[in-house]
Amino acid sequence: GTEVAGSLLAVIGGSEESARALVETDPLIRSLDDDVKAYHWTIAGDPYLQLEVWPEGSAPFAMLRLDDQQGTQNRGATREKHLSFLRKTKRCLRAGPLRPLDNSATPISERAPCGSLVYSFHEDEQSCLAWASRDPYVEAGVFTEPPLLLASYCDLDCSGKQVTRPAPFNELPDPVLARLVSAGLEELPERVVQRIERDPQTGKYERYNITTLDPRLESNVRIDDELMAKMASTPKAKRAKRARDKKAKEEAEEEEF
C-alpha cells in the first residue's frame, strides 16, 4: 500500500479560539508528539480557481508553501501575476493565502500572509513540482524551497470513507444528514442550482443546472458573472466586441443583397 505521509486537516471555525479547540479534540492530534502547525486559510472565491473535475489519469495534490523571510514583502507586487498563472494553467482546485494563528490582537484578515495552500491536479509528483516551479511567486522569492508539504490526497467524509472526486457534489450526500432524512427527522427542499465548471475534455467553461437536495451545494454563477463583467470592460474586450459587431453587421448586409 501507499505510505501515509501525514494529515492535513481543514476545519471551519467561528474564531481562532474555536478552531483551535476543535482541532485539539481530534484524537490523532492528541496522539502526536510533534507540534501541530495551524494557520488561517483564506480560500480564493474566484470560480476559475475552484475546479471540481480533472482529466482521467490525473490526481489531486495538496501543496503547502511558507514564505521566505523576505517573501511576504514581495507578495503584493507579484499577486496578480500569481493569480493569472493559476487561472491560465487551469489546474487549481482550491487556493489561498495562509495567515498565522498567533493569538495577536490584530484581526486575522489584516495579518500578513505567511504562506499559501494550493490544491491542484497533476499526472504525478514531478509534474506537480514542475508546474509549481513556474509560479511567479517562486521567481519573486516569495516562497521557501522546497515546499513544506507536497502530497496526493483524498477527501474523507464524517464516517471515514474516502470520497474521491470528480463526482458531482449532489452525489456525495453527508451520511449523517442522509440518516436524518431517511428517519423522517429532517426534510430537505429540492432546489435547482446553476453552476459553471470547466469541461475536462474541451477545457471550456460551461453552465449547467443541478437538481439537488444537498444544502451544501451553492451556485457560483454570480461570482462568475461579476468576473466576466469586469473582464468585458477592459479595452481589449471592448475592441474585440466592436470587431464582432462590425463583422455581424457586414454579414447581415451581405445577406440582404
Side-chain angles (χ1 to χ4, degrees):
T2 302
E3 182 181 351
V4 177
S7 295
L8 176 64
L9 179 63
V11 300
I12 299 175
S15 64
E16 181 172 345
E17 292 74 21
S18 64
R20 282 185 176 277
L22 180 60
V23 171
E24 289 169 0
T25 60
D26 187 329
L28 177 62
I29 299 295
R30 288 183 294 183
S31 69
L32 297 176
D33 295 328
D34 299 333
D35 291 335
V36 176
K37 302 291 191 297
Y39 306 93
H40 180 274
W41 186 29
T42 306
I43 302 176
D46 187 336
Y48 293 96
L49 304 183
Q50 295 189 5
L51 303 181
E52 301 295 349
V53 293
W54 51 79
E56 185 177 352
S58 296
F61 283 80
M63 183 179 300
L64 191 154
R65 312 189 73 155
L66 296 182
D67 289 4
D68 185 76
Q69 221 169 17
Q70 304 296 324
T72 302
Q73 301 175 12
N74 300 329
R75 267 184 175 266
T78 321
R79 182 172 181 270
E80 288 305 318
K81 291 182 179 179
H82 163 72
L83 293 176
S84 177
F85 167 78
L86 295 182
R87 293 188 190 108
K88 289 180 178 179
T89 53
K90 300 177 181 178
R91 290 186 173 272
C92 192
L93 304 169
R94 295 290 185 275
L98 299 171
R99 292 182 168 84
L101 294 181
D102 52 13
N103 292 316
S104 68
T106 305
I108 292 179
S109 60
E110 297 177 14
R111 298 176 193 175
C114 59
S116 295
L117 176 59
V118 176
Y119 292 177
S120 54
F121 66 84
H122 305 276
E123 291 71 27
D124 51 42
E125 182 178 334
Q126 293 306 313
S127 299
C128 181
L129 286 171
W131 173 79
S133 68
R134 303 200 308 272
D135 190 327
Y137 270 176
V138 173
E139 184 179 351
V142 174
F143 294 136
T144 57
E145 291 290 345
L148 180 64
L149 178 149
L150 170 63
S152 59
Y153 70 92
C154 63
D155 293 340
L156 301 178
D157 67 15
C158 62
S159 69
K161 177 184 175 183
Q162 292 188 359
V163 178
T164 56
R165 286 184 266 190
F169 280 167
N170 62 326
E171 293 182 6
L172 303 180
D174 183 327
V176 173
L177 186 59
R179 290 184 182 182
L180 292 173
V181 172
S182 63
L185 300 175
E186 186 78 29
E187 184 175 346
L188 301 177
E190 185 174 272
R191 301 180 300 128
V192 176
V193 178
Q194 190 178 58
R195 299 280 300 179
I196 181 167
E197 309 290 356
R198 176 175 173 265
D199 186 309
Q201 303 301 324
T202 66
K204 295 181 179 179
Y205 288 86
E206 299 181 356
R207 297 191 187 207
Y208 60 93
N209 291 330
I210 289 180
T211 300
T212 179
L213 297 176
D214 192 339
R216 299 170 299 169
L217 185 64
E218 298 180 355
S219 172
N220 64 351
V221 173
R222 180 187 61 80
I223 299 174
D224 183 72
D225 282 343
E226 292 175 356
L227 180 63
M228 294 303 291
K230 182 178 179 181
M231 294 173 63
S233 65
T234 63
K236 182 177 180 180
K238 290 180 178 178
R239 288 195 299 270
K241 184 178 184 304
R242 286 195 296 269
R244 289 195 302 270
D245 292 345
K246 181 180 179 181
K247 183 178 180 181
K249 183 179 179 181
E250 290 173 350
E251 292 176 349
E253 291 175 349
E254 289 177 1
E255 289 179 359
E256 291 179 0
F257 289 104

